Coordinates of all heavy atoms in Angstrom, one line a residue:
M1 N -3.8 11.2 1.0 CA -5.0 10.7 0.4 C -6.0 10.4 1.5 O -5.6 9.8 2.6 CB -4.8 9.5 -0.5 CG -6.0 9.0 -1.1 SD -5.8 7.6 -2.2 CE -5.6 6.3 -1.1
F2 N -7.3 10.6 1.3 CA -8.3 10.3 2.3 C -9.4 9.5 1.5 O -9.8 9.9 0.4 CB -8.9 11.5 3.0 CG -9.9 11.1 4.0 CD1 -9.5 10.6 5.2 CD2 -11.3 11.2 3.7 CE1 -10.5 10.2 6.2 CE2 -12.2 10.9 4.7 CZ -11.8 10.4 5.9
S3 N -9.8 8.4 2.1 CA -10.9 7.6 1.4 C -11.9 7.1 2.5 O -11.6 7.0 3.6 CB -10.3 6.4 0.6 OG -9.6 5.6 1.5
V4 N -13.1 6.9 2.0 CA -14.2 6.4 2.8 C -14.8 5.2 2.1 O -15.0 5.3 0.9 CB -15.2 7.4 3.1 CG1 -16.4 6.8 3.9 CG2 -14.6 8.6 3.9
Y5 N -15.0 4.1 2.8 CA -15.6 2.9 2.2 C -16.5 2.2 3.2 O -16.4 2.5 4.4 CB -14.6 2.0 1.5 CG -13.4 1.6 2.4 CD1 -13.4 0.5 3.2 CD2 -12.3 2.5 2.5 CE1 -12.3 0.1 4.0 CE2 -11.2 2.1 3.3 CZ -11.2 1.0 4.0 OH -10.2 0.7 4.8
W6 N -17.4 1.4 2.7 CA -18.4 0.7 3.5 C -18.3 -0.8 3.3 O -19.2 -1.4 2.7 CB -19.8 1.2 3.1 CG -20.0 2.6 3.4 CD1 -20.6 3.2 4.5 CD2 -19.7 3.7 2.5 NE1 -20.7 4.5 4.4 CE2 -20.1 4.9 3.2 CE3 -19.1 3.9 1.3 CZ2 -20.0 6.2 2.6 CZ3 -18.9 5.1 0.7 CH2 -19.4 6.2 1.4
P7 N -17.4 -1.5 4.0 CA -17.3 -2.9 3.8 C -18.4 -3.6 4.6 O -18.9 -3.1 5.6 CB -15.9 -3.3 4.5 CG -15.7 -2.2 5.4 CD -16.3 -1.0 4.8
T8 N -18.9 -4.7 4.0 CA -19.9 -5.5 4.7 C -19.3 -6.5 5.7 O -18.4 -7.2 5.4 CB -20.7 -6.4 3.7 OG1 -21.3 -5.5 2.7 CG2 -21.8 -7.2 4.3
Q9 N -19.7 -6.4 6.9 CA -19.3 -7.3 8.0 C -20.5 -7.9 8.6 O -21.3 -7.3 9.2 CB -18.4 -6.5 9.0 CG -17.2 -6.0 8.4 CD -16.4 -5.2 9.4 OE1 -16.9 -4.5 10.2 NE2 -15.1 -5.2 9.3
G10 N -20.6 -9.3 8.4 CA -21.8 -9.9 8.8 C -22.9 -9.5 7.9 O -22.8 -9.6 6.7
H11 N -24.0 -8.9 8.4 CA -25.1 -8.5 7.6 C -25.2 -7.0 7.6 O -26.3 -6.4 7.2 CB -26.4 -9.1 8.1 CG -26.4 -10.6 7.9 ND1 -26.5 -11.2 6.6 CD2 -26.3 -11.6 8.8 CE1 -26.5 -12.5 6.8 NE2 -26.4 -12.8 8.1
T12 N -24.2 -6.3 8.1 CA -24.3 -4.8 8.2 C -23.0 -4.2 7.5 O -22.1 -4.8 7.2 CB -24.3 -4.3 9.7 OG1 -23.0 -4.8 10.3 CG2 -25.4 -4.9 10.4
R13 N -23.2 -2.9 7.3 CA -22.1 -2.2 6.7 C -21.3 -1.4 7.8 O -21.9 -0.9 8.7 CB -22.6 -1.1 5.6 CG -23.3 -1.8 4.5 CD -22.4 -1.8 3.3 NE -23.0 -2.3 2.2 CZ -22.3 -2.6 1.1 NH1 -21.0 -2.5 1.1 NH2 -22.9 -3.1 0.1
N14 N -20.0 -1.4 7.7 CA -19.2 -0.7 8.7 C -18.5 0.5 7.9 O -17.5 0.2 7.2 CB -18.2 -1.7 9.3 CG -17.3 -1.0 10.4 OD1 -17.6 0.1 10.8 ND2 -16.4 -1.8 10.9
V15 N -18.9 1.7 8.1 CA -18.3 2.8 7.5 C -16.9 3.0 8.0 O -16.6 3.0 9.2 CB -19.1 4.1 7.8 CG1 -18.4 5.3 7.2 CG2 -20.5 4.0 7.2
T16 N -15.9 3.0 7.1 CA -14.5 3.1 7.5 C -13.8 4.2 6.7 O -14.0 4.3 5.5 CB -13.8 1.7 7.1 OG1 -14.5 0.7 7.8 CG2 -12.4 1.7 7.5
G17 N -13.1 5.0 7.4 CA -12.3 6.1 6.8 C -10.8 5.7 6.8 O -10.4 5.0 7.8
E18 N -10.0 6.1 5.8 CA -8.6 5.9 5.8 C -7.9 7.1 5.3 O -8.2 7.6 4.3 CB -8.3 4.6 5.0 CG -6.9 4.2 4.9 CD -6.7 3.0 4.2 OE1 -7.1 1.9 4.6 OE2 -6.1 3.0 3.1
S19 N -6.8 7.5 6.0 CA -5.9 8.5 5.5 C -4.5 8.0 5.4 O -4.1 7.2 6.2 CB -6.0 9.8 6.4 OG -5.5 9.4 7.7
T20 N -3.8 8.4 4.4 CA -2.4 8.0 4.2 C -1.6 9.2 3.8 O -2.1 10.1 3.2 CB -2.3 6.9 3.1 OG1 -2.8 7.4 1.9 CG2 -3.1 5.6 3.5
F21 N -0.3 9.1 4.1 CA 0.7 10.1 3.7 C 1.9 9.3 3.3 O 2.4 8.4 4.0 CB 1.0 11.0 4.9 CG 2.0 12.0 4.6 CD1 1.6 13.2 3.8 CD2 3.3 11.9 5.0 CE1 2.5 14.1 3.5 CE2 4.2 12.9 4.7 CZ 3.8 14.0 4.0
L22 N 2.4 9.6 2.1 CA 3.5 8.8 1.5 C 4.6 9.8 1.0 O 4.3 10.8 0.4 CB 2.9 8.0 0.3 CG 3.9 7.2 -0.5 CD1 4.2 5.9 0.2 CD2 3.3 7.0 -1.9
L23 N 5.8 9.4 1.3 CA 7.0 10.1 0.8 C 7.7 9.1 -0.1 O 7.9 7.9 0.3 CB 7.9 10.6 1.9 CG 7.4 11.6 2.8 CD1 8.3 11.9 4.0 CD2 7.1 12.9 2.0
D24 N 8.2 9.4 -1.3 CA 8.7 8.6 -2.3 C 10.1 9.1 -2.7 O 10.2 10.3 -2.9 CB 7.8 8.5 -3.4 CG 8.3 7.7 -4.6 OD1 9.4 7.1 -4.6 OD2 7.6 7.7 -5.7
R25 N 11.1 8.2 -2.9 CA 12.4 8.7 -3.4 C 13.0 7.6 -4.3 O 13.0 6.4 -3.9 CB 13.3 8.9 -2.2 CG 14.7 9.3 -2.5 CD 14.7 10.7 -2.9 NE 16.1 11.1 -3.1 CZ 16.5 12.3 -3.6 NH1 15.6 13.2 -3.9 NH2 17.7 12.5 -3.7
Q26 N 13.4 8.0 -5.5 CA 14.1 7.1 -6.4 C 15.5 7.0 -5.9 O 16.3 8.0 -5.9 CB 14.0 7.5 -7.8 CG 14.5 6.5 -8.8 CD 14.3 6.9 -10.2 OE1 14.1 8.0 -10.5 NE2 14.3 5.9 -11.1
L27 N 16.0 5.8 -5.5 CA 17.4 5.6 -5.1 C 18.3 5.4 -6.2 O 19.4 6.1 -6.3 CB 17.5 4.4 -4.1 CG 16.5 4.5 -2.9 CD1 16.6 3.2 -2.1 CD2 16.9 5.6 -2.0
T28 N 18.0 4.6 -7.1 CA 18.7 4.4 -8.4 C 17.7 4.2 -9.5 O 16.5 4.1 -9.2 CB 19.7 3.2 -8.3 OG1 18.9 2.0 -8.2 CG2 20.7 3.3 -7.2
K29 N 18.1 4.0 -10.7 CA 17.1 3.8 -11.8 C 16.1 2.7 -11.5 O 14.9 2.9 -11.6 CB 17.8 3.6 -13.1 CG 16.8 3.6 -14.3 CD 17.4 4.2 -15.5 CE 16.4 4.2 -16.6 NZ 15.9 5.5 -16.9
P30 N 16.5 1.5 -11.1 CA 15.5 0.5 -10.8 C 14.9 0.4 -9.4 O 14.0 -0.2 -9.1 CB 16.2 -0.8 -11.1 CG 17.6 -0.6 -10.8 CD 17.9 0.9 -11.1
W31 N 15.5 1.2 -8.5 CA 15.2 1.1 -7.0 C 14.5 2.3 -6.6 O 15.0 3.4 -6.7 CB 16.4 0.8 -6.2 CG 16.9 -0.6 -6.3 CD1 17.9 -0.9 -7.1 CD2 16.5 -1.7 -5.6 NE1 18.2 -2.3 -6.9 CE2 17.3 -2.8 -6.0 CE3 15.5 -2.0 -4.6 CZ2 17.2 -4.1 -5.5 CZ3 15.4 -3.3 -4.1 CH2 16.2 -4.3 -4.6
D32 N 13.3 2.1 -5.9 CA 12.5 3.2 -5.3 C 12.3 2.8 -3.8 O 12.3 1.7 -3.4 CB 11.2 3.4 -5.9 CG 11.2 3.8 -7.3 OD1 12.1 4.6 -7.7 OD2 10.3 3.5 -8.1
A33 N 12.2 3.9 -3.0 CA 11.9 3.7 -1.5 C 10.7 4.6 -1.2 O 10.6 5.7 -1.7 CB 13.1 4.0 -0.7
F34 N 9.9 4.1 -0.3 CA 8.7 4.8 0.2 C 8.6 4.7 1.7 O 8.9 3.7 2.3 CB 7.4 4.2 -0.4 CG 7.4 3.9 -1.8 CD1 7.9 2.8 -2.4 CD2 6.9 4.9 -2.7 CE1 7.9 2.5 -3.7 CE2 6.9 4.7 -4.1 CZ 7.4 3.5 -4.6
V35 N 8.2 5.8 2.3 CA 7.8 5.8 3.7 C 6.4 6.2 3.8 O 6.0 7.2 3.2 CB 8.7 6.7 4.5 CG1 8.2 6.8 6.0 CG2 10.2 6.3 4.4
E36 N 5.5 5.4 4.5 CA 4.1 5.6 4.5 C 3.6 5.7 5.9 O 3.9 4.8 6.8 CB 3.4 4.6 3.7 CG 1.9 4.7 3.7 CD 1.2 3.6 2.9 OE1 1.8 2.4 2.9 OE2 0.2 3.8 2.4
Y37 N 2.6 6.6 6.2 CA 1.8 6.6 7.4 C 0.4 6.4 7.0 O -0.1 7.0 6.1 CB 2.0 8.0 8.1 CG 0.9 8.1 9.2 CD1 1.1 7.6 10.5 CD2 -0.2 8.8 8.9 CE1 0.1 7.7 11.4 CE2 -1.2 9.0 9.9 CZ -1.0 8.4 11.2 OH -2.0 8.6 12.1
A38 N -0.3 5.4 7.7 CA -1.7 5.2 7.4 C -2.5 5.1 8.7 O -2.0 4.6 9.7 CB -1.8 3.8 6.7
A39 N -3.7 5.7 8.6 CA -4.6 5.7 9.7 C -5.9 5.2 9.2 O -6.4 5.6 8.2 CB -4.7 7.0 10.4
I40 N -6.5 4.2 10.0 CA -7.8 3.7 9.6 C -8.8 4.0 10.7 O -8.5 3.7 11.9 CB -7.7 2.2 9.4 CG1 -6.7 1.9 8.3 CG2 -9.1 1.6 9.0 CD1 -6.3 0.4 8.1
F41 N -9.9 4.6 10.4 CA -10.9 5.0 11.4 C -12.2 4.2 11.2 O -12.8 4.3 10.2 CB -11.2 6.5 11.3 CG -9.9 7.3 11.3 CD1 -9.3 7.8 10.2 CD2 -9.3 7.6 12.6 CE1 -8.2 8.5 10.2 CE2 -8.2 8.4 12.6 CZ -7.6 8.8 11.4
R42 N -12.6 3.5 12.2 CA -13.9 2.8 12.2 C -14.7 3.3 13.4 O -14.2 4.0 14.2 CB -13.6 1.3 12.4 CG -12.9 0.7 11.2 CD -12.9 -0.8 11.2 NE -12.3 -1.3 10.0 CZ -11.2 -2.1 10.1 NH1 -10.7 -2.5 11.2 NH2 -10.7 -2.5 8.9
R43 N -15.9 2.9 13.4 CA -16.9 3.3 14.4 C -16.3 3.0 15.9 O -16.5 3.8 16.7 CB -18.2 2.7 14.2 CG -19.3 3.2 15.1 CD -20.6 2.6 14.8 NE -20.4 1.2 14.3 CZ -21.4 0.3 14.1 NH1 -22.6 0.7 14.3 NH2 -21.1 -0.9 13.6
L44 N -15.8 1.8 16.1 CA -15.4 1.4 17.4 C -13.9 1.6 17.7 O -13.5 1.5 18.9 CB -15.8 0.0 17.6 CG -17.3 -0.3 17.5 CD1 -17.6 -1.8 17.7 CD2 -18.1 0.5 18.5
A45 N -13.0 1.7 16.7 CA -11.6 1.8 17.0 C -10.9 2.5 15.8 O -11.4 2.7 14.7 CB -11.0 0.4 17.1
A46 N -9.7 3.0 16.1 CA -8.8 3.6 15.1 C -7.5 2.9 15.2 O -7.0 2.6 16.3 CB -8.7 5.1 15.4
A47 N -6.9 2.7 14.0 CA -5.6 2.1 14.0 C -4.6 2.9 13.2 O -5.0 3.5 12.2 CB -5.7 0.7 13.4
A48 N -3.4 3.0 13.6 CA -2.4 3.8 12.8 C -1.1 2.9 12.7 O -0.8 2.1 13.6 CB -2.0 5.1 13.5
L49 N -0.5 3.0 11.5 CA 0.8 2.3 11.3 C 1.7 3.1 10.4 O 1.3 4.0 9.7 CB 0.5 0.9 10.7 CG -0.2 0.8 9.3 CD1 0.9 0.6 8.3 CD2 -1.0 -0.5 9.3
A50 N 3.0 2.7 10.5 CA 4.0 3.3 9.7 C 4.7 2.2 8.9 O 5.0 1.1 9.5 CB 5.0 4.1 10.5
A51 N 5.0 2.4 7.7 CA 5.7 1.3 6.9 C 6.7 1.9 6.0 O 6.7 3.0 5.6 CB 4.6 0.6 6.0
F52 N 7.7 1.0 5.7 CA 8.8 1.3 4.8 C 8.7 0.4 3.6 O 8.6 -0.9 3.8 CB 10.2 1.2 5.5 CG 11.3 1.3 4.5 CD1 11.7 2.5 4.0 CD2 12.0 0.2 4.0 CE1 12.8 2.6 3.1 CE2 13.0 0.3 3.1 CZ 13.4 1.5 2.6
W53 N 8.7 0.9 2.4 CA 8.6 0.0 1.2 C 9.8 0.2 0.3 O 10.3 1.3 0.2 CB 7.4 0.5 0.4 CG 6.1 0.3 1.0 CD1 5.6 1.0 2.0 CD2 5.1 -0.6 0.6 NE1 4.3 0.6 2.3 CE2 4.0 -0.4 1.5 CE3 5.0 -1.6 -0.3 CZ2 2.8 -1.2 1.4 CZ3 3.8 -2.4 -0.4 CH2 2.8 -2.1 0.4
D54 N 10.2 -0.8 -0.3 CA 11.3 -0.8 -1.2 C 10.9 -1.6 -2.5 O 10.3 -2.7 -2.3 CB 12.6 -1.4 -0.6 CG 13.8 -1.3 -1.5 OD1 13.9 -0.2 -2.2 OD2 14.7 -2.1 -1.5
S55 N 11.1 -1.0 -3.6 CA 10.7 -1.7 -4.9 C 11.8 -1.7 -5.9 O 12.5 -0.7 -6.0 CB 9.4 -1.1 -5.4 OG 9.6 0.2 -5.9
S56 N 11.8 -2.7 -6.7 CA 12.8 -2.8 -7.7 C 12.1 -3.2 -9.0 O 11.4 -4.2 -9.1 CB 13.9 -3.9 -7.4 OG 14.8 -4.0 -8.5
K57 N 12.4 -2.5 -10.1 CA 11.9 -2.8 -11.4 C 12.8 -3.9 -12.0 O 13.9 -3.6 -12.4 CB 11.8 -1.5 -12.2 CG 10.8 -0.5 -11.7 CD 11.0 0.8 -12.4 CE 10.2 1.9 -11.6 NZ 10.8 2.2 -10.3
L58 N 12.3 -5.1 -12.1 CA 13.1 -6.2 -12.7 C 13.2 -6.0 -14.2 O 14.2 -6.4 -14.8 CB 12.4 -7.5 -12.4 CG 12.3 -7.8 -10.9 CD1 11.5 -9.1 -10.6 CD2 13.6 -7.9 -10.2
A59 N 12.1 -5.5 -14.8 CA 12.1 -5.3 -16.3 C 11.1 -4.2 -16.5 O 10.5 -3.7 -15.5 CB 11.7 -6.6 -17.0
K60 N 10.8 -3.8 -17.7 CA 9.9 -2.7 -18.0 C 8.5 -2.9 -17.4 O 7.9 -1.9 -16.9 CB 9.8 -2.5 -19.5 CG 9.0 -1.3 -19.9 CD 9.0 -1.0 -21.4 CE 8.1 0.2 -21.7 NZ 8.1 0.5 -23.1
Q61 N 8.0 -4.1 -17.4 CA 6.7 -4.3 -16.9 C 6.6 -5.3 -15.7 O 5.6 -5.9 -15.4 CB 5.8 -4.8 -18.0 CG 5.7 -3.8 -19.1 CD 4.8 -4.2 -20.3 OE1 4.3 -5.4 -20.3 NE2 4.5 -3.3 -21.2
H62 N 7.7 -5.5 -15.0 CA 7.8 -6.4 -13.8 C 8.5 -5.7 -12.7 O 9.4 -5.0 -12.8 CB 8.6 -7.6 -14.2 CG 8.0 -8.4 -15.3 ND1 7.1 -9.4 -15.1 CD2 8.2 -8.3 -16.6 CE1 6.8 -9.9 -16.3 NE2 7.4 -9.3 -17.2
Q63 N 7.9 -5.9 -11.5 CA 8.4 -5.2 -10.3 C 8.3 -6.1 -9.1 O 7.3 -6.9 -8.9 CB 7.6 -3.9 -10.1 CG 8.0 -3.1 -8.8 CD 7.2 -1.8 -8.7 OE1 7.2 -1.1 -9.7 NE2 6.6 -1.6 -7.6
I64 N 9.2 -6.0 -8.2 CA 9.2 -6.8 -6.9 C 9.2 -5.8 -5.8 O 9.9 -4.8 -5.8 CB 10.3 -7.8 -6.8 CG1 10.0 -8.7 -5.6 CG2 11.6 -7.2 -6.7 CD1 10.8 -10.0 -5.6
D65 N 8.4 -6.0 -4.7 CA 8.3 -5.1 -3.6 C 8.6 -5.8 -2.3 O 8.2 -7.0 -2.1 CB 6.9 -4.5 -3.5 CG 6.4 -3.8 -4.7 OD1 7.2 -2.9 -5.2 OD2 5.3 -4.1 -5.1
F66 N 9.3 -5.1 -1.4 CA 9.5 -5.5 0.0 C 9.0 -4.5 0.9 O 9.1 -3.3 0.7 CB 11.0 -5.7 0.3 CG 11.7 -6.6 -0.7 CD1 12.4 -6.0 -1.8 CD2 11.7 -7.9 -0.6 CE1 13.0 -6.8 -2.7 CE2 12.4 -8.8 -1.5 CZ 13.0 -8.2 -2.6
H67 N 8.3 -4.9 2.0 CA 7.9 -3.9 3.0 C 7.9 -4.4 4.4 O 7.7 -5.6 4.6 CB 6.5 -3.3 2.6 CG 5.4 -4.3 2.5 ND1 5.2 -5.0 1.3 CD2 4.5 -4.8 3.4 CE1 4.2 -5.9 1.5 NE2 3.7 -5.7 2.7
V68 N 8.1 -3.5 5.3 CA 8.1 -3.7 6.8 C 7.4 -2.6 7.4 O 7.4 -1.5 6.9 CB 9.5 -3.9 7.4 CG1 10.2 -5.1 6.8 CG2 10.3 -2.7 7.2
G69 N 6.7 -2.8 8.5 CA 6.0 -1.8 9.2 C 5.7 -2.1 10.7 O 6.0 -3.2 11.1
V70 N 5.3 -1.1 11.4 CA 5.0 -1.2 12.8 C 3.7 -0.5 13.1 O 3.4 0.5 12.5 CB 6.1 -0.6 13.7 CG1 7.4 -1.4 13.6 CG2 6.3 0.8 13.4
G71 N 2.9 -1.1 14.0 CA 1.7 -0.4 14.5 C 2.0 0.7 15.4 O 2.9 0.6 16.2
L72 N 1.2 1.8 15.3 CA 1.4 3.0 16.1 C 0.3 3.1 17.2 O 0.3 4.1 17.9 CB 1.5 4.2 15.3 CG 2.7 4.2 14.2 CD1 2.6 5.4 13.3 CD2 4.0 4.1 14.9
S73 N -0.7 2.2 17.2 CA -1.8 2.3 18.1 C -2.1 0.9 18.6 O -1.7 -0.1 18.0 CB -3.0 3.0 17.5 OG -3.6 2.2 16.5
S74 N -2.9 0.8 19.6 CA -3.2 -0.5 20.2 C -4.2 -1.3 19.3 O -4.2 -2.5 19.3 CB -3.9 -0.4 21.6 OG -5.1 0.4 21.5
A75 N -4.9 -0.6 18.4 CA -5.8 -1.3 17.5 C -5.1 -1.8 16.2 O -5.7 -2.5 15.4 CB -7.0 -0.4 17.1
A76 N -3.9 -1.4 16.0 CA -3.1 -1.8 14.8 C -2.3 -3.1 15.1 O -2.1 -3.4 16.3 CB -2.2 -0.7 14.4
V77 N -1.9 -3.7 14.0 CA -1.0 -4.9 14.2 C 0.3 -4.4 14.8 O 0.7 -3.3 14.7 CB -0.7 -5.6 12.9 CG1 -2.0 -6.2 12.3 CG2 -0.1 -4.7 11.9
D78 N 1.0 -5.3 15.6 CA 2.3 -4.9 16.2 C 3.3 -4.6 15.1 O 4.1 -3.7 15.2 CB 2.8 -6.0 17.1 CG 1.9 -6.1 18.4 OD1 1.3 -5.1 18.7 OD2 1.8 -7.2 19.0
H79 N 3.4 -5.5 14.1 CA 4.4 -5.4 13.1 C 4.0 -6.1 11.8 O 3.1 -7.0 11.9 CB 5.8 -5.9 13.5 CG 5.8 -7.3 14.0 ND1 5.5 -7.6 15.3 CD2 6.1 -8.4 13.4 CE1 5.5 -8.9 15.4 NE2 5.9 -9.4 14.3
L80 N 4.5 -5.8 10.7 CA 4.2 -6.5 9.5 C 5.4 -6.6 8.6 O 6.3 -5.8 8.7 CB 3.1 -5.8 8.7 CG 3.3 -4.3 8.3 CD1 3.7 -4.3 6.8 CD2 2.0 -3.6 8.5
I81 N 5.5 -7.6 7.7 CA 6.5 -7.8 6.8 C 5.9 -8.4 5.5 O 5.0 -9.2 5.7 CB 7.7 -8.6 7.4 CG1 8.9 -8.6 6.4 CG2 7.2 -10.0 7.8 CD1 10.1 -9.2 7.0
G82 N 6.4 -8.1 4.4 CA 5.8 -8.7 3.2 C 6.7 -8.5 2.0 O 7.6 -7.8 1.9
I83 N 6.3 -9.3 0.9 CA 7.0 -9.2 -0.3 C 5.9 -9.4 -1.4 O 4.8 -10.0 -1.2 CB 8.0 -10.4 -0.5 CG1 8.8 -10.2 -1.8 CG2 7.4 -11.7 -0.3 CD1 10.0 -11.1 -1.9
G84 N 6.1 -8.7 -2.5 CA 5.1 -8.8 -3.6 C 5.7 -8.7 -4.9 O 6.8 -8.3 -5.1
Y85 N 5.0 -9.2 -5.9 CA 5.4 -9.2 -7.3 C 4.3 -8.6 -8.1 O 3.1 -9.0 -8.0 CB 5.7 -10.6 -7.8 CG 6.0 -10.7 -9.3 CD1 7.2 -10.2 -9.8 CD2 5.0 -11.2 -10.1 CE1 7.4 -10.3 -11.2 CE2 5.2 -11.3 -11.5 CZ 6.4 -10.8 -12.0 OH 6.6 -10.9 -13.3
S86 N 4.6 -7.7 -9.0 CA 3.6 -7.0 -9.8 C 4.1 -7.1 -11.3 O 5.2 -7.1 -11.6 CB 3.5 -5.5 -9.5 OG 3.2 -5.4 -8.1
F87 N 3.1 -7.2 -12.2 CA 3.4 -7.2 -13.6 C 2.2 -6.5 -14.3 O 1.1 -6.4 -13.7 CB 3.6 -8.6 -14.2 CG 2.4 -9.5 -14.0 CD1 1.4 -9.6 -15.0 CD2 2.3 -10.3 -12.9 CE1 0.4 -10.5 -14.8 CE2 1.3 -11.1 -12.7 CZ 0.3 -11.3 -13.6
R88 N 2.5 -5.9 -15.5 CA 1.5 -5.1 -16.2 C 1.2 -5.7 -17.5 O 2.2 -6.1 -18.3 CB 2.0 -3.7 -16.3 CG 1.0 -2.8 -17.1 CD 1.6 -1.4 -17.2 NE 2.7 -1.4 -18.1 CZ 3.3 -0.3 -18.5 NH1 2.9 0.9 -18.0 NH2 4.3 -0.3 -19.4
F89 N -0.1 -5.9 -17.8 CA -0.5 -6.3 -19.2 C -0.8 -5.0 -19.9 O -1.4 -4.1 -19.4 CB -1.7 -7.1 -19.1 CG -1.5 -8.5 -18.6 CD1 -2.1 -8.8 -17.3 CD2 -0.8 -9.4 -19.3 CE1 -1.9 -10.1 -16.8 CE2 -0.6 -10.7 -18.7 CZ -1.2 -11.0 -17.5
Q90 N -0.4 -4.9 -21.2 CA -0.7 -3.8 -22.0 C -1.2 -4.2 -23.3 O -0.5 -5.0 -24.0 CB 0.6 -2.9 -22.1 CG 0.3 -1.6 -22.9 CD 1.5 -0.7 -22.8 OE1 2.4 -0.9 -22.0 NE2 1.4 0.4 -23.6
A91 N -2.3 -3.7 -23.7 CA -2.9 -4.0 -25.0 C -2.1 -3.2 -26.1 O -1.8 -2.1 -25.8 CB -4.4 -3.7 -25.1
T92 N -1.8 -3.8 -27.2 CA -1.1 -3.1 -28.2 C -2.2 -2.6 -29.3 O -3.2 -3.2 -29.5 CB -0.1 -4.0 -28.9 OG1 -0.8 -5.2 -29.5 CG2 0.9 -4.5 -27.9
R93 N -1.8 -1.5 -29.9 CA -2.7 -0.9 -30.9 C -2.1 -1.3 -32.3 O -0.9 -1.3 -32.5 CB -2.8 0.6 -30.8 CG -3.4 1.0 -29.5 CD -3.5 2.5 -29.5 NE -4.2 2.9 -28.3 CZ -4.4 4.2 -28.0 NH1 -4.0 5.1 -28.8 NH2 -5.0 4.5 -26.8
H94 N -3.0 -1.7 -33.2 CA -2.6 -2.0 -34.6 C -2.9 -0.9 -35.5 O -3.8 -0.2 -35.5 CB -3.3 -3.3 -35.0 CG -2.9 -4.5 -34.2 ND1 -1.7 -5.1 -34.3 CD2 -3.5 -5.1 -33.1 CE1 -1.6 -6.1 -33.4 NE2 -2.7 -6.1 -32.7

């Protein structure tokens, strides 16, 4: 995927491009694994990183995610680690 956005920094806009490449594999019914490469391009610097994601579906509308990653360029963070929880609201039809 490739995207371009214009975040406001100070009183100016900074045009930023981002490209990502993702490989996904279902390990078991509730467990998925992802490997992702992301590159962020700004006017003054470019950053690249690689990350591994693991997610588990706790219930039909609940999921927990774990991820770790490493920076691949000097402008990227050295490493990252995180955990997340997601849930979905769904409107019912009568």
Side-chain angles (χ1 to χ4, degrees):
M1 178 177 81
F2 183 75
S3 58
V4 177
Y5 48 96
W6 295 265
T8 302
Q9 294 177 325
H11 296 289
T12 63
R13 297 258 183 195
N14 185 6
V15 177
T16 303
E18 182 175 292
S19 63
T20 59
F21 181 76
L22 177 81
L23 296 173
D24 172 7
R25 178 75 175 174
Q26 186 174 21
L27 302 176
T28 63
K29 187 148 179 103
W31 287 95
D32 293 328
F34 309 88
V35 176
E36 178 182 30
Y37 166 81
I40 301 168
F41 307 98
R42 293 191 179 122
R43 184 175 34 168
L44 299 177
L49 62 94
F52 171 78
W53 297 70
D54 187 32
S55 67
S56 176
K57 295 167 192 70
L58 302 173
K60 185 176 180 180
Q61 298 181 355
H62 300 270
Q63 178 175 307
I64 191 164
D65 301 312
F66 306 96
H67 56 276
V68 294
V70 295
L72 301 175
S73 69
S74 61
V77 297
D78 290 334
H79 56 277
L80 60 99
I81 187 168
I83 186 170
Y85 170 74
S86 304
F87 58 93
R88 180 179 70 173
F89 291 110
Q90 184 171 348
T92 57
R93 294 184 181 180
H94 296 284

